[in-house]
Each structure stands twice: as structure tokens, then as C-alpha cells.
């Protein structure tokens, strides 16, 4: 069945470091793919999305490219900030929405 | 953009009482809303899918008599935790989808329920 596999955290980085959070998926057809972010004590916010193969979603300096050949949608940011500390979820829409397990990012000054 | 409002953000109740959580889509109509539960440092667990004008569809293992869901209008779904117990303490989040299955879900800010 459809599924999402996301790298385990936490990921701990210094400010201005490069970030990669891996996400791979298994799906029937070619669904959209999403990254959500959850700041402490809050709900989830849509960070970025890609609707078809080779699309690149981007927002707030984060990017992810929908790669059909590797069934991946890795999240990247060139220079993280302390304010990026949050939990990041990769998600695959089906009739519901399938989430990865979430990756906690901690950025230290 | 699409906004989902969830209320209350925090609630503390005594064991045995019931608590109602509201989820509203403020600027769009949502025929389908989803209710999630999140345990500390864990991912989201889908509890049920709420469809306007019909019965909710519950995920396996979720007690429908304990977690009552009502989706009375295109902009409002409610989750009532009945006869709450301390093990029901959790973070509950609702979400709504604007259009089809490939459109993203928009989430409320969640409700922190503490049962004493």
C-alpha cells in the first residue's frame, strides 16, 4: 500500500549549516507530495508541495524536488536558522493523508 | 489562504467529564475534515474522517462511542471526548481539505487536552 518513510531524528545543526531531511514514498500513480512543519505547541503548516514528477517546491528557503526515479522528496535548506527548529513531516495524499514519522530539527546558535 | 480555526487551544478537565473541541474552516467550505491525535514526540495518528451530513469514518482501534464526531455544516466539525480519562490526555488536531485528494490539508492549531 501507499506509505512514506522519513529519516529518524533528531537532527541537530548549528546555525547556517546545510540541512537535508530524507523522505521516500511508495504510491500508486503519481500523487502530489507535501512537507509540513510543526512549531512547538502548534498545529501543522504546509511548508511546500510538488504536484508532479520533477517539480520543485520551495518556501522560506526550503526546497524539495519530486523525483519519480528514486521515489524521493528530500527536504533541503542551504543555511538553517534557529527559528527553523521544529518537527518536519513528509506527507502523501491518498483519500486521507499519510504522514511520515516526523523529523525533529534543532538548530543551535 | 485557507484557514482552519480550532477551539479551545487548551483545556483541562476532570476525569469522567466530557470535552468538546470545535474545528471551523473560516474561508472555505470543507466537505471532509480529519481528526488526528498526537502523542508526545510522535507522529500524527488519524482518528477519523468527518464527512458533512453523514457519519464519521473511524480508524481501526478508535472508539466511536468515546470520540464522538459531528460534522453538521460545511464549515464546522466537532470532536467530543466523552467520559474522559487521564489516558485521553493528548494533543488533538483537526484538518480540512479544500478540494480533491491531491490538494493539501490545512490544519488547526491543535487542542491540548489534559484530564486530571
Amino acid at each position: 500500500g501507499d506509505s512514506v518513510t522519513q529519516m529518524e531524528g533528531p537532527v541537530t545543526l548549528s546555525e547556517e549549516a546545510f540541512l537535508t531531511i530524507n523522505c521516500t514514498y511508495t504510491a500508486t500513480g503519481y500523487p502530489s507530495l507535501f512537507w509540513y512543519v510543526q512549531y512547538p505547541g502548534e498545529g501543522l503548516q504546509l511548508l511546500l508541495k510538488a504536484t508532479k514528477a520533477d517539480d520543485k517546491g520551495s518556501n522560506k528557503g526550503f526546497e524539495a524536488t519530486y523525483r519519480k526515479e528514486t521515489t524521493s522528496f528530500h527536504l533541503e535548506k542551504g543555511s538553517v536558522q534557529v527559528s527553523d527548529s521544529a518537527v518536519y513531516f513528509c506527507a502523501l495524499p491518498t483519500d486521507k493523508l499519510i504522514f511520515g514519522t516526523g523529523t525533529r530539527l534543532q538548530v543551535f546558535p | 489562504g485557507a484557514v482552519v480555526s480550532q477551539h479551545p487551544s487548551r483545556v483541562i478537565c476532570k476525569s469522567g467529564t466530557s470535552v468538546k473541541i470545535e474545528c471551523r474552516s473560516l474561508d472555505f467550505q470543507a466537505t471532509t475534515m480529519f481528526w488526528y491525535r498526537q502523542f508526545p514526540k510522535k507522529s500524527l495518528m488519524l482518528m477519523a474522517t468527518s464527512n458533512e451530513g453523514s457519519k464519521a469514518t473511524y480508524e481501526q482501534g478508535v472508539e466511536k462511542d468515546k470520540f464522538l464526531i459531528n460534522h453538521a455544516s460545511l464549515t464546522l466539525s466537532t470532536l467530543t471526548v466523552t467520559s474522559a480519562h487521564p489516558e485521553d490526555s493528548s494533543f488533538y488536531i483537526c484538518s480540512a481539505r479544500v478540494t480533491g485528494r491531491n490538494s493539501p490539508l490545512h490544519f488547526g492549531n491543535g487542542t491540548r487536552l489534559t484530564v486530571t
Side-chain angles (χ1 to χ4, degrees):
Chain A
D2 295 346
S3 66
V4 173
T5 302
Q6 189 173 341
M7 66 184 286
E8 293 283 336
V11 173
T12 304
L13 295 173
S14 298
E15 211 165 23
E16 299 184 4
F18 184 85
L19 168 72
T20 301
I21 300 177
N22 291 338
C23 171
T24 56
Y25 67 91
T26 302
T28 305
Y30 304 105
S32 298
L33 293 167
F34 307 126
W35 276 99
Y36 284 85
V37 58
Q38 184 179 31
Y39 297 102
E42 298 184 10
L44 276 69
Q45 301 174 27
L46 179 65
L47 179 61
L48 54 83
K49 65 178 181 179
T51 57
K52 61 184 187 298
D54 299 326
D55 260 5
K56 178 185 283 188
S58 61
N59 186 26
K60 299 181 181 180
F62 290 89
E63 294 183 338
T65 300
Y66 188 156
R67 299 205 185 279
K68 189 176 66 173
E69 62 277 10
T70 54
T71 61
S72 65
F73 193 53
H74 304 324
L75 182 69
E76 296 181 335
K77 186 173 185 180
S79 177
V80 294
Q81 305 300 312
V82 173
S83 57
D84 294 326
S85 298
V87 181
Y88 294 82
F89 293 93
C90 185
L92 170 71
T94 59
D95 291 332
K96 309 159 190 175
L97 189 66
I98 298 174
F99 286 97
T101 52
T103 303
R104 183 174 300 275
L105 169 66
Q106 297 174 314
V107 181
F108 293 96
Chain B
V3 176
V4 174
S5 174
Q6 188 172 340
H7 179 80
S9 58
R10 289 179 179 274
V11 58
I12 300 173
C13 71
K14 292 184 183 287
S15 189
T17 62
S18 295
V19 173
K20 180 184 283 189
I21 302 169
E22 292 188 348
C23 180
R24 295 181 184 272
S25 57
L26 295 188
D27 51 0
F28 66 100
Q29 293 183 330
T31 55
T32 302
M33 291 185 175
F34 302 89
W35 287 95
Y36 292 85
R37 181 174 180 176
Q38 187 176 32
F39 295 94
K41 299 186 178 181
K42 297 289 186 183
S43 188
L44 290 89
M45 180 191 80
L46 179 65
M47 299 174 65
T49 302
S50 167
N51 298 296
E52 187 268 335
S54 64
K55 291 183 179 180
T57 302
Y58 289 82
E59 296 299 303
Q60 192 172 7
V62 178
E63 299 176 61
K64 62 179 69 175
D65 294 331
K66 177 150 192 74
F67 299 100
L68 298 179
I69 291 172
N70 184 278
H71 194 154
S73 76
L74 286 171
T75 60
L76 174 64
S77 176
T78 61
L79 167 68
T80 301
V81 183
T82 62
S83 187
H85 288 93
E87 57 265 29
D88 298 325
S89 299
S90 194
F91 193 56
Y92 294 88
I93 309 176
C94 73
S95 66
R97 177 179 278 153
V98 177
T99 55
R101 60 184 270 171
N102 266 326
S103 63
L105 290 182
H106 300 276
F107 287 81
N109 274 336
T111 297
R112 172 72 60 194
L113 170 63
T114 303
V115 184
T116 61

